Amino acid sequence: MSNDTSNGVGPIDRSPTHLSSTLALLAGVSTAVLSAYAQVALGATLAGLLVLGLGLGVGRQSPVTVGGGLLVAGVVAAGVSGAPVSATVLGMTTALLAFDLGTTALGLGEQLGREAPTSEVELLHAVASAAVGLGVVVPALAIREVATGGQPVSAVFGLLVVVLLSVVVLRRADPLSGRRA
Amino acid sequence: MNWRLLLVAVGVVVFGVSLFELARPGASPLPANQALLPVLAAVVLVYVSVVLNDVRQRPDLVETPDVELATAPDAPGHDLEQTAAGFPPVAEFGGEKQGTVRGALRNAAVGVLTRYRGLDPGQARRQVLDGSWTDDRRAADWLAETDPGSSLRRRLRRLLSSGSRTERARVADAVADVADVETDPTGRPDDEPGFAAVADTGTGGRLPETHTGGQTRDQPRQTHHWAGVSVVVLVCLGVGVLLEQPGVVLAGAVAVGYATYARAGPPGAVDLSISRSVSTTSPDAGEDVAVTVTVTNEGGFCPDLRIVDGVPESLAVTDGVPRRAVALRGGESVTFSYTLRARQGTHEFGPTQVVARPLSNSTEQELLVDSETTITAVPPLRPVQESVPLRRQPTQYAGRAPTDSGGEGIEFHTVREYKPGDSMARIDWNRRARTGELTTLEFRRERATRVVLLVDARPGSHVGHDPLAMDAVERSLGAAQRVFPALLSEGHQVGIAAFGPAECFLAPDTGTSHRQRGRDLLATHPAFRAGASPDENRRIWVRQLRKRLPGNTQLVLFSPLLDGRTVRVVRELEAYGYPVTVLSPDPTATETPGQRLMRARRRLLVTDLRQTGVPVLDWPPGTPLEETLKREVVTR
């Protein structure tokens, strides 16, 4: 009597999804390449890449965040040690993309598992995030081309205050407040 | 809110002034100079620490259950203390303090020693108290009554280890050893559950209490996906300005872009409809069922929908994945399918769980969309091939159960003096020829019996030896499903009832429609479902059961026989004149000390029950039911 029919397989594999993980690591590698203007910067980005890869390997958020932070720190260090502005700005974009895609991979893996077909959504997220980055990088570099040198300190000061204020406001803004469920 | 508006207003004004300053240096009233910049940069960097503090508080994401799996039965005996406390007390041995673990384990040890080593209770007690009952010194010392000797080391150990897990586990193992319970070589020394405990295997538990069907929508929540990005903005600004690096300041602008993206607009209203179709709603048990799910977006564009279908908790997915992530435009729909393995019983699909996110990943909203689907699987009709060993009991109906009285029949019983009217065919003509004496042959009279099958479906019986196999109730139901038609075709009147507080009774009867009724009842009655336990405290169910049972009936109880209460109820029923036969699927495992102790306890209960004259058919997992029945017929 076949009374002991199997109940199915073991628990589902909830590790980070393949596509986003791969894209995140690619972005991390690009960051490392773009920051290769100073040893400190390269060291930081390589360490960041390693930690990020580790985090994706074990499926934990905190190493992914720390890895992203190290990538950003490497880009800043490269900028400070005299990397070209375009490399710094692009490096920042890829560093943030690496963090973003890594976190997406974790979230999707945790909620749907590796087996589930998720590539459509993953690609959409990746394209959207890259577009946002490029949407800032291109105008920023263009403005820089137009207005080089000799800005008055007071204007820089004023713009800095504006950015600070906007960060404070954005942090307080609740994206859900406009919504009535 | 006002505070925010004020900040925005100040920002706009400063921005305008700065632009003016850029165009016409020196024309604006901004009081800035080279010295103020580093101060501002420092302020920015200090604010970073404030923001970083927030970033650490990351909320948990919406969890999704492991719908692919069927709920795994626990192996009995995960709690060693309760297992020890449930040993039947040894009658002549009342001096032990029950209620303490040590007392309970002493009772258990005395229990197995009296049954398996043939000691009388006094002897057994003495052995336990002086520690000579087992070779395991530590177990013996821990259980021994008083001063374990003058050795300081022993005394210290006893003092330190009072109640420690290791000592209890060792005693449990020693007790199990006396009862000949083999140790699983892959076993673990502690009582941790081996199978990664799966919290939830269905989506039904996620519904709120007030759920009324249709679509349940949670409030959207922050995912804090971009939580670190404002720190990046501030660090870039602070460092860039302090060290006068335009590249770093511009990099900060990139981060500002992402911070804005994260806050961009509230998520659109998500509105979904779901339809689910199954290849058959009434499969045979063990048959594969294909499930097709179609999710349609009734609202606007949804870039990220994470869908988990509500696979019934009791069923496992054998092929395909009941999960999907899709982007759907308004009006668009997605279809996916997977395969289930049907098991005996009624299985309801839960709501489909959907987690919706915007492109930026910064919020998520959980939706539960109902689409009611039910599968009812009845096992194929397969009567057992062995005769079921019923108890001897005379009734007036002709049938096939052998009785102890002579008369018409097949099997030879006795010879008696000829009485006028005896059939010519039953006269012993050989003897007549040899001695001239006229005698009549008596055959064993065969009579039909009234039988009620009792299935133990109390919550404590939903246990099994293997998380991936059937639990004891399922095996009991499977066996009852096969015994029921076999007894009917032998001419008996057969009924069915639940052994426990659940309401379920089918009066004994015969006939084709009754056979079908019983089959459906065993397969689908809610009383047999896991988690369908009514009030556990209704202790009067035994009396109610007894009232419903017709007189002159014998009972076949399907029970894992794990607790003393079952044994007491069986004895009670016997005392009221219902002969009981127990068919007991063995759900015990041997991985942990607690499980081994449980196996020893079950053996003890089986032995006790057999000693009162109740036949117990012990049915180990993985063996055919016929084998167990045959063994019983042979040993009788």
Side-chain angles (χ1 to χ4, degrees):
Chain A
M1 179 163 179
S2 60
N3 232 343
D4 300 289
T5 36
S6 170
N7 234 342
V9 284
I12 69 167
D13 181 6
R14 291 184 186 267
S15 31
T17 51
H18 284 296
L19 180 62
S20 289
S21 301
T22 315
L23 291 176
L25 289 178
L26 278 181
V29 170
S30 323
T31 311
V33 171
L34 286 166
S35 71
Y37 288 92
Q39 281 186 355
V40 185
L42 187 60
T45 42
L46 285 180
L49 188 57
L50 191 73
V51 176
L52 182 78
L54 217 72
L56 289 174
V58 298
R60 297 277 302 272
Q61 177 66 56
S62 35
V64 171
T65 308
V66 170
L70 281 171
L71 287 175
V72 167
V75 172
V76 171
V80 168
S81 6
V85 171
S86 53
T88 310
V89 173
L90 272 178
M92 182 56 73
T93 310
T94 52
L96 290 176
L97 271 181
F99 163 75
D100 170 41
L101 296 173
T103 308
T104 304
L106 277 172
L108 266 174
E110 198 176 299
Q111 288 178 329
L112 295 185
R114 232 179 213 178
E115 301 274 299
T118 51
S119 43
E120 181 191 358
V121 165
E122 285 178 85
L123 278 180
L124 202 59
H125 276 305
V127 168
S129 293
V132 168
L134 291 181
V136 177
V137 167
V138 174
L141 289 180
I143 289 174
R144 196 189 131 69
E145 282 302 308
V146 175
T148 44
Q151 292 95 346
V153 173
S154 47
V156 173
F157 179 81
L159 288 176
L160 190 50
V161 169
V162 170
V163 172
L164 183 59
L165 283 178
S166 61
V167 167
V168 173
V169 169
L170 283 176
R171 283 189 57 73
R172 295 191 180 268
D174 181 0
L176 310 171
S177 60
R179 187 181 160 71
R180 300 276 173 271
Chain B
M1 210 53 173
N2 287 337
W3 165 240
R4 235 180 90 202
L5 276 178
L6 189 70
L7 283 180
V8 171
V10 171
V12 169
V13 170
V14 175
F15 184 68
V17 171
S18 304
L19 281 186
F20 189 59
E21 180 80 7
L22 267 179
R24 276 204 194 160
S28 83
L30 279 179
N33 59 38
Q34 211 72 38
L36 263 180
L37 272 182
V39 175
L40 187 60
V43 168
V44 165
L45 288 179
V46 168
Y47 188 56
V48 165
S49 63
V50 177
V51 178
L52 263 179
N53 206 32
D54 279 12
V55 171
R56 287 206 204 99
Q57 299 162 2
R58 210 169 244 284
D60 292 328
L61 301 181
V62 171
E63 283 174 12
T64 59
D66 283 18
V67 291
E68 285 86 343
L69 305 181
T71 310
D74 284 335
H78 61 92
D79 187 338
L80 199 149
E81 283 176 39
Q82 278 183 15
T83 310
F87 265 80
V90 179
E92 302 87 341
F93 177 58
E96 198 49 66
K97 264 186 292 174
Q98 287 286 342
T100 66
V101 190
R102 194 175 263 138
L105 280 168
R106 272 184 197 154
N107 176 52
V110 172
V112 290
L113 285 172
T114 48
R115 265 74 151 205
Y116 288 89
R117 298 246 174 101
L119 303 178
D120 66 59
Q123 266 178 316
R125 178 157 195 259
R126 244 172 286 124
Q127 284 202 3
V128 169
L129 293 187
D130 67 20
S132 63
W133 62 285
T134 171
D135 292 336
D136 187 340
R137 290 301 344 141
R138 281 176 70 185
D141 285 352
W142 188 75
L143 218 53
E145 185 169 42
T146 42
D147 187 17
S150 51
S151 157
L152 185 64
R153 196 165 57 104
R154 272 197 191 179
R155 241 190 271 184
L156 259 180
R157 189 199 284 158
R158 184 186 157 86
L159 200 68
L160 290 175
S161 69
S162 103
S164 105
R165 293 174 68 100
T166 339
E167 309 292 331
R168 292 179 203 182
R170 289 184 85 116
V171 172
D173 271 347
V175 169
D177 189 49
V178 175
D180 287 333
V181 172
E182 58 285 358
T183 305
D184 189 342
T186 63
R188 297 175 309 281
D190 48 23
D191 279 340
E192 299 302 315
F195 192 68
V198 174
D200 214 348
T201 61
T203 56
R206 303 194 65 84
L207 283 173
E209 297 274 320
T210 55
H211 172 70
T212 51
Q215 187 167 319
T216 310
R217 208 179 297 172
D218 242 22
Q219 288 294 321
R221 339 188 278 170
Q222 300 263 17
T223 58
H224 293 257
H225 181 88
W226 290 104
V229 87
S230 35
V231 177
V232 177
V233 174
L234 296 172
V235 166
C236 286
L237 283 185
V239 171
V241 170
L242 263 183
L243 303 178
E244 299 184 11
Q245 290 292 336
V248 178
V249 176
L250 267 186
V254 173
V256 171
Y258 282 110
T260 319
Y261 175 50
R263 263 88 180 166
V270 183
D271 192 8
L272 301 170
S273 70
I274 285 175
S275 69
R276 190 190 289 117
S277 67
V278 290
S279 57
T280 167
T281 54
S282 49
D284 285 342
E287 193 183 330
D288 280 353
V289 180
V291 184
T292 308
V293 184
T294 304
V295 180
T296 309
N297 185 2
E298 311 277 1
F301 175 58
C302 294
D304 184 343
L305 295 173
R306 303 169 180 195
I307 303 164
V308 181
D309 195 30
V311 182
E313 286 168 34
S314 40
L315 294 183
V317 173
T318 52
D319 193 26
V321 185
R323 300 159 184 266
R324 179 133 321 197
V326 284
L328 290 181
R329 280 189 293 275
E332 210 180 4
S333 56
V334 64
T335 300
F336 59 95
S337 52
Y338 55 91
T339 309
L340 289 176
R341 172 80 35 89
R343 290 169 90 161
Q344 151 166 309
T346 303
H347 311 278
E348 274 170 37
F349 279 80
T352 305
Q353 184 189 17
V354 180
V355 181
R357 286 191 178 202
L359 263 186
S360 63
N361 260 330
S362 53
T363 61
E364 66 180 9
Q365 183 181 17
E366 182 183 4
L367 291 95
L368 294 164
V369 192
D370 248 349
S371 166
E372 280 184 19
T373 315
T374 304
I375 289 181
T376 303
V378 179
L381 185 62
R382 214 154 51 94
V384 277
Q385 299 303 311
E386 280 299 320
S387 71
V388 182
L390 290 175
R391 304 275 292 273
R392 302 254 155 95
Q393 177 197 24
T395 63
Q396 73 266 38
Y397 303 106
R400 288 177 33 194
T403 61
D404 276 333
S405 61
E408 310 249 354
I410 300 161
E411 191 186 341
F412 174 76
H413 188 248
T414 43
V415 180
R416 65 165 167 78
E417 206 174 296
Y418 173 78
K419 285 190 199 134
D422 279 350
S423 159
M424 292 256 285
R426 282 171 58 198
I427 291 174
D428 188 351
W429 293 111
N430 290 337
R431 181 181 288 230
R432 168 79 178 155
R434 210 161 50 239
T435 63
E437 210 179 327
L438 201 57
T439 51
T440 303
L441 289 176
E442 287 272 83
F443 295 93
R444 192 179 287 279
R445 203 190 289 212
E446 295 191 340
R447 284 292 178 256
T449 311
R450 212 183 276 142
V451 186
V452 170
L453 308 181
L454 296 175
V455 179
D456 181 354
R458 291 170 298 166
S461 302
H462 285 276
V463 289
H465 64 288
D466 179 350
L468 292 181
M470 291 184 173
D471 66 26
V473 175
E474 268 183 284
R475 291 179 64 204
S476 294
L477 286 170
Q481 195 68 267
R482 304 192 56 200
V483 165
F484 181 70
L487 287 178
L488 277 179
S489 55
E490 279 179 17
H492 304 291
Q493 297 186 349
V494 193
I496 296 167
F499 186 82
E503 284 285 324
C504 171
F505 190 80
L506 180 69
D509 202 348
T510 55
T512 319
S513 65
H514 181 72
R515 174 187 302 233
Q516 190 56 42
R517 247 198 319 277
R519 204 175 148 209
D520 289 345
L521 181 122
L522 283 172
T524 61
H525 199 283
F528 301 133
R529 241 184 272 175
S533 87
D535 191 5
E536 251 308 275
N537 297 324
R538 271 183 52 207
R539 311 285 278 184
I540 49 162
W541 62 266
V542 185
R543 208 188 318 151
Q544 286 186 335
L545 176 68
R546 225 178 50 224
K547 272 188 196 154
R548 293 177 118 172
L549 289 173
N552 220 347
T553 304
Q554 62 170 297
L555 309 173
V556 179
L557 170 63
F558 299 84
S559 166
L561 220 55
L562 288 174
D563 57 349
R565 182 163 159 76
T566 318
V567 175
R568 280 197 301 278
V569 172
V570 169
R571 282 187 185 157
E572 194 182 325
L573 289 169
E574 282 263 327
Y576 277 95
Y578 299 104
V580 185
T581 307
V582 183
L583 176 63
S584 178
D586 183 358
T588 58
T590 52
E591 276 194 1
T592 68
Q595 292 171 1
R596 291 192 279 274
L597 191 64
M598 183 54 105
R599 179 169 284 192
R601 184 174 116 183
R602 180 171 172 278
R603 285 195 181 163
L604 214 66
L605 292 171
V606 170
T607 312
D608 282 5
L609 205 48
R610 280 183 179 147
Q611 275 172 359
T612 61
V614 175
V616 179
L617 285 68
D618 191 0
W619 181 25
T623 56
L625 183 57
E626 277 85 355
E627 209 170 278
T628 303
L629 296 178
K630 193 189 280 173
R631 199 183 320 130
E632 179 65 20
V633 174
V634 168
T635 51
R636 221 174 238 190

